[in-house]
Amino acid sequence: MQKTTITPPQWSAGMFVQRYGIFLALLLLCLVLALISENFLTTRNILNVLRQTSINGILAIGMTFVILTRGIDLSVGSVAALAGVVAASLATTSSAGMVAGGPYPAVIAILAGLAAGMACGSVSGAIVARFGVPAFVVTLGMLSAARGLTLIYAGGRPIPNLTEEFRWIGTGSIWGIPVPIFLLLGTFAIAHFVLTQTRFGRHVYAVGGNPHAAKVSGLPLRRIRFSVYVISGALAGLAGMVLAARTGSGLPQAGIAYELDAIAAVVIGGTSLAGGVGRVTGTLIGALLIGVMNNGLDLLGVESYYQQVIKGILIVAAVMLDQSKNKQD
Amino acid sequence: MPPLLEVEGLSKSFSGVPALIEGKFRLEAGTVHALCGGNGAGKSTFLKIVMGIHDRDSGTIRRNGHEVTFSNPSEALKNGIAIVEQELSPVPAMTVAENIYMGREPLRSLGRIDFATLNRQTQDLLDGFGFAIRATDLMMDLTVAQTQLVEIAKALSYDAEVIILDEPTSALGEAEAEHLFDAIATLKTRGKGLIYVSHRLSEIFSITDHYTVFRDGRFIQDGTTADISKEQLIQLIVGRPLNEEFVKENTPGKRVVLQVEGLRAQRGVHDLSFELREGEILGLFGLMGAGRTEVLDRLFGLSTETGGSILLNGQEARIKRPSDAIAAGIAYVTEDRKQTGLVLSSTVRDNLCLSSLGQLSRLGVMRARQEAAGAAGMIAELKIKAASDALEVANLSGGNQQKVVLGKWFMIAPKILLLDEPTRGVDVGAKREIYRVISDFARAGGAVIMVSSESDEILGMADRVIVLKDGVKAGELARDQLSAEELLHLAA
């Protein structure tokens, strides 16, 4: 029931493992891989892992905002594909799928892609926030609808031959470091700042932690709920464009099941599906953990089928660890 | 005859911190025994050991003279010890009978539930103790008091002889509590022993035969309730003399700060008019369902506008949502701090700052130093006991949590404070501190509307009382006309 004396939790090895468990797991995995594979700890491979993680990482950061408010966004894979083909249609040099007057400058294509992502997020967000339909249902609908719109828009075919200028966001590099890594770290830095330092960040945690209390405290519940889906949509758009830029064409089939890895990264990173608890740092580490694990298993020559099994175990184990922590409190 | 339950030398530490030292308790058949103590006194540790939820470091527990050790609550139940928790957990969409016999329903062939037998058996049980509840009613259709009785019936269905009631009236109005007390009286005559945990002293004196006081994890004293005065008991619980239970040093002014005309709410309030003056504490009294909370919800913009006017300082105010009320200087401490008052997963500081994030930020970016300073100010002013403002508020005691809710609202520097059951589930010591805060606020010119189910609290704090009945004003009493009888008479 109640306690009067509040003593700060005493330091113990067990608590340390629980608190930094994900980070330790990542370090441990890297250590093991470095020992058994000489290819792991090469600059080339590290950059490769980071670049491969960037798309899932960006999606997962957007997902973190949504999950912190007790929501979920299942539509990010489809929204990413839509943003990819919209941007591709403006940045292609081939006549198939090109918007009249193209190719346009990459900036225009990117803004259009972001707008497409935000538009999808706005629709989901408005329905969740205004009508209180469960996010699971709304974004499941958006998952299907956005995919359909992508196929309609692209006529069911890839939009190839993107301009070099546009492809730079996926294939370019600065000081030898791939651009997608900068995009991931930039997104992370901004998201971390927003969640920890801004009023909006406080709102997100409060709405997820206890929506009733947030309402009584005068917080604009609907606006907050709406905003997180727009953020998720925008970041899905960004991720979709990086993907299109990397592959060199806007694929209407791109991003299928990407929402699952994004949710996995958030959950492994310690964000509670019950809302109100979690950090974007955890999400980044969660995404890296998935990325490193895939890479390591590749290096070791483990079949991708097994990789899926191992990832499944990892997700459940991470949440079990998290729950045992809650029980202790 | 040996006592139903006898506990001696019971000790328990959690990671080196003693929570209970040499706990002692003796329950006789056919009696109600009050277990008293502030938050952290060791009551819950004691009960959890008795119920087999925690193990003990040392000590003995004897049941009818035989030494026992339970490793989980179902073993305790098999030995006739049942607890009715403070927070009830019924399955709302199931019937009373299904809830009582959950997991041990009488069966027919193929595992089908024998509903006829189940319902008859349940009805016999309920009738046997004079509980006016139908076995086939859905739990969600019951009042809180009835739900409480169902939980007790569940304990009785296991043939429990020792029944522990943990804050059973915390969610009940006085009339409903009377039904519960009738049931307790019946149980006594059947030779059951009841352990009664409550922060409400008036109840302890009206229904219990014996008392045991714990403080700071230690047994302090036990005895017969009739042999001790309220003041003596408070002193035992708090550990220092408390001259007065209540603190009231405000004097109402003349200026009307809030005027309400013909107020209606979607449900609960029909046609209510009243005024509130600066420096005044206005009590709002009534039975459960009289519309007390609905009045406050409506004033705070939590329910839709459905008629009536609200004038703040003579100006008509439109309050459509909580942010309008907050902007107008109205603060609202809701009835249930866990449901609507606090973000339990957040820190003390974040909770304190929750309603004033606007003032504490610039261009949307939080000003960490102002936040920390504001929170530290409230922690000091309200004497919130927390090792750090970065502690999750869920780890605080009930009284300290309530102070955090109050602190959150004082951060907006309100003019009008709406309080719904401000001391529910709060121990005697913290209660007095909360009364002090309310009194200081009113003395400084603030206006207070206080809803309470405890007539003592209304009598102790209010300058004037409006009694509500079925959403309309049943009467209005000035402080010098106040008496518990008059309040109940008007409310019933």
Side-chain angles (χ1 to χ4, degrees):
Chain A
M1 263 194 315
Q2 299 118 340
K3 323 174 222 176
T4 15
T5 43
I6 314 294
T7 43
Q10 285 171 351
W11 192 90
S12 74
M15 279 188 46
F16 185 78
V17 169
Q18 276 179 341
R19 180 129 196 217
Y20 300 102
I22 300 302
F23 189 59
L24 289 178
L26 180 62
L27 285 183
L28 196 69
L29 186 62
C30 290
L31 193 70
V32 170
L33 289 172
L35 288 175
I36 55 179
S37 167
E38 56 186 16
N39 295 325
F40 178 74
L41 217 56
T42 57
T43 314
R44 198 166 143 239
N45 188 54
I46 296 292
L47 289 179
N48 194 23
V49 173
L50 288 171
R51 199 188 53 213
Q52 284 169 348
T53 302
S54 60
I55 289 171
N56 184 36
I58 291 170
L59 291 175
I61 289 168
M63 187 73 74
T64 307
F65 280 84
V66 177
I67 289 181
L68 278 175
T69 63
R70 296 190 179 180
I72 191 97
D73 189 350
L74 299 175
S75 68
V76 292
S78 300
V79 172
L82 180 63
V85 299
V86 166
S89 71
L90 293 163
T92 180
T93 55
S94 76
S95 55
M98 189 206 280
V99 173
Y104 289 88
V107 178
I108 303 286
I110 291 168
L111 289 177
L114 286 176
M118 289 167 79
C120 293
S122 306
V123 172
S124 299
I127 296 173
V128 171
R130 179 71 184 81
F131 300 105
V133 183
F136 189 95
V137 175
V138 174
T139 60
L140 188 64
M142 182 57 75
L143 167 103
S144 178
R147 181 67 62 188
L149 287 174
T150 309
L151 289 160
I152 293 166
Y153 186 78
R157 289 178 301 276
I159 302 176
N161 300 330
L162 306 183
T163 58
E164 276 308 309
E165 190 197 8
F166 179 78
R167 293 202 61 189
W168 181 79
I169 63 166
T171 59
S173 54
I174 304 170
W175 310 310
I177 297 169
V179 174
I181 298 179
F182 284 103
L183 291 173
L184 170 64
L185 294 179
T187 305
F188 165 73
I190 294 170
H192 184 71
F193 176 78
V194 169
L195 282 178
T196 58
Q197 306 294 321
T198 69
R199 175 150 57 126
F200 176 70
R202 295 284 198 284
H203 286 175
V204 167
Y205 281 102
V207 167
N210 186 347
H212 305 291
K215 186 178 180 190
V216 173
S217 300
L219 268 49
L221 238 61
R222 283 181 187 167
R223 205 187 316 156
I224 299 160
R225 287 207 174 112
F226 172 77
S227 304
V228 294
Y229 291 92
V230 178
I231 291 169
S232 178
L235 291 179
L238 177 63
M241 289 187 287
V242 172
L243 184 61
R246 267 195 63 67
T247 49
S249 63
L251 300 171
Q253 265 87 6
I256 288 176
Y258 276 26
E259 61 280 354
L260 300 180
D261 269 5
I263 294 168
V266 176
V267 167
I268 292 172
T271 294
S272 163
L273 287 172
V277 177
R279 280 176 306 179
V280 76
T281 321
T283 299
L284 183 67
I285 294 171
L288 285 172
L289 194 65
I290 295 174
V292 170
M293 192 191 59
N294 286 338
N295 175 265
L297 296 172
D298 275 340
L299 288 178
L300 299 176
V302 178
E303 267 188 89
S304 70
Y305 303 155
Y306 288 97
Q307 295 187 15
Q308 296 192 28
V309 176
I310 294 170
K311 191 162 72 190
I313 293 170
L314 182 71
I315 294 168
V316 178
V319 177
M320 280 170 67
L321 186 82
D322 204 43
Q323 294 205 321
S324 69
K325 174 168 64 186
N326 291 342
K327 220 167 273 171
Q328 202 189 39
D329 285 350
Chain B
M1 211 174 88
L4 288 180
L5 187 72
E6 191 176 21
V7 176
E8 273 169 2
L10 200 64
S11 296
K12 172 76 183 170
S13 302
F14 292 102
S15 42
V17 183
L20 185 64
I21 307 152
E22 301 276 317
K24 190 176 122 177
F25 194 87
R26 186 186 164 97
L27 178 69
E28 303 285 353
T31 64
V32 182
H33 194 130
L35 180 57
C36 308
N39 296 325
K43 289 175 307 187
S44 32
T45 307
F46 172 79
L47 293 178
K48 280 179 178 164
I49 296 172
V50 169
M51 289 305 294
I53 297 166
H54 289 327
D55 52 5
R56 61 192 118 145
D57 298 340
S58 61
T60 53
I61 301 175
R62 277 189 290 273
R63 174 87 177 85
N64 290 331
H66 303 289
E67 202 164 312
V68 288
T69 303
F70 307 129
S71 52
N72 56 53
S74 60
E75 280 184 22
L77 207 47
K78 276 190 203 116
N79 278 278
I81 305 178
I83 187 163
V84 178
E85 303 272 2
Q86 183 176 6
E87 320 232 320
L88 305 171
S89 47
V91 182
M94 286 185 159
T95 65
V96 170
E98 286 169 307
N99 268 278
I100 290 179
Y101 287 98
M102 193 175 300
R104 48 197 177 113
E105 300 87 350
L107 296 181
R108 297 158 68 193
S109 60
L110 300 173
R112 289 171 301 159
I113 292 174
D114 183 353
F115 281 105
T117 310
L118 173 68
N119 290 336
R120 182 160 32 77
Q121 183 175 319
T122 308
Q123 198 63 60
D124 290 348
L125 176 75
L126 293 167
D127 294 346
F129 289 95
F131 298 174
I133 300 169
R134 269 201 309 271
T136 50
D137 281 346
L138 293 180
M139 289 303 289
M140 58 178 137
D141 296 333
L142 302 186
T143 64
V144 185
Q146 287 175 319
T147 310
Q148 196 78 251
L149 292 180
V150 170
E151 292 285 335
I152 294 172
K154 189 171 178 176
L156 295 169
S157 73
Y158 286 94
D159 290 324
E161 284 187 301
V162 177
I163 299 167
I164 302 166
L165 299 173
D166 190 359
E167 295 273 352
T169 55
S170 67
L172 303 184
E174 293 201 358
E176 286 186 304
E178 288 302 326
H179 290 298
L180 180 70
F181 298 155
D182 290 346
I184 289 174
T186 313
L187 296 177
K188 258 173 73 171
T189 60
R190 306 280 174 93
K192 310 281 183 190
L194 291 101
I195 302 178
Y196 193 84
V197 182
S198 177
H199 288 311
R200 297 188 178 177
L201 297 176
S202 52
E203 289 172 1
I204 288 173
F205 283 96
S206 61
I207 67 164
T208 70
D209 305 296
H210 303 288
Y211 67 89
T212 293
V213 177
F214 283 6
R215 190 199 325 138
D216 301 330
R218 285 173 196 277
F219 168 83
I220 299 295
Q221 187 175 317
D222 59 6
T224 305
T225 315
D227 297 344
I228 190 170
S229 72
K230 201 165 177 176
E231 288 66 34
Q232 287 169 314
L233 185 61
I234 292 176
Q235 191 164 342
L236 288 175
I237 294 171
V238 183
R240 58 192 145 83
L242 276 187
N243 307 329
E244 281 276 345
E245 198 179 346
F246 298 98
V247 184
K248 180 164 174 58
E249 294 165 355
N250 65 308
T251 21
K254 290 230 158 54
R255 198 168 60 86
V256 174
V257 291
L258 172 74
Q259 190 170 359
V260 172
E261 300 278 0
L263 193 77
R264 288 172 184 281
Q266 256 173 336
R267 52 186 188 89
V269 187
H270 299 304
D271 183 12
L272 185 67
S273 303
F274 66 89
E275 306 175 330
L276 177 68
R277 294 170 195 282
E278 62 179 341
E280 182 182 39
I281 300 174
L282 174 65
L284 217 49
F285 187 80
L287 304 179
M288 294 296 257
R292 306 166 307 180
T293 299
E294 286 77 5
V295 172
L296 300 189
D297 280 355
R298 175 73 172 77
L299 290 176
F300 198 67
L302 278 168
S303 57
T304 36
E305 289 185 295
T306 39
S309 63
I310 299 170
L311 277 73
L312 290 167
N313 298 317
Q315 300 277 315
E316 170 104 39
R318 298 294 303 275
I319 298 173
K320 289 183 179 170
R321 54 182 70 85
S323 55
D324 296 340
I326 293 168
I330 303 176
Y332 183 14
V333 176
T334 49
E335 187 175 9
D336 187 337
R337 57 181 165 268
K338 287 187 177 156
Q339 287 294 323
T340 54
L342 295 167
V343 182
L344 287 172
S345 54
S346 285
T347 62
V348 172
R349 186 198 301 185
D350 285 353
N351 272 286
L352 284 170
C353 297
L354 195 57
S355 289
S356 34
L357 292 172
Q359 291 100 285
L360 296 169
S361 60
R362 189 189 292 145
L363 300 172
V365 179
M366 294 311 299
R367 298 198 276 186
R369 218 170 297 151
Q370 270 88 335
E371 264 189 294
M378 280 305 150
I379 288 172
E381 193 176 323
L382 301 181
K383 300 195 184 99
I384 297 170
K385 289 193 200 90
S388 142
D389 67 354
L391 205 70
E392 273 178 34
V393 76
N395 294 325
L396 267 51
S397 68
N400 283 301
Q401 288 185 349
Q402 189 70 353
K403 288 185 196 170
V404 172
V405 178
L406 279 162
K408 172 178 82 176
W409 290 118
F410 283 127
M411 296 260 305
I412 71 163
K415 308 277 186 295
I416 298 173
L417 188 56
L418 310 179
L419 300 169
D420 197 354
E421 305 282 1
T423 63
R424 169 171 295 174
V426 168
D427 72 61
V428 186
K431 254 186 187 175
R432 192 167 191 277
E433 289 173 19
I434 289 172
Y435 295 138
R436 147 81 51 202
V437 167
I438 296 170
S439 166
D440 285 353
F441 174 76
R443 198 167 58 157
V448 179
I449 302 180
M450 183 174 84
V451 165
S452 178
S453 301
E454 290 182 67
S455 49
D456 282 359
E457 188 166 277
I458 293 278
L459 295 174
M461 294 301 293
D463 297 301
R464 188 160 56 94
V465 180
I466 290 174
V467 181
L468 287 180
K469 187 180 173 186
D470 300 328
V472 294
K473 195 195 280 185
E476 189 170 331
L477 299 167
R479 185 163 177 81
D480 50 18
Q481 302 168 301
L482 282 178
S483 72
E485 294 72 33
E486 190 63 23
L487 283 177
L488 280 173
H489 173 71
L490 285 170

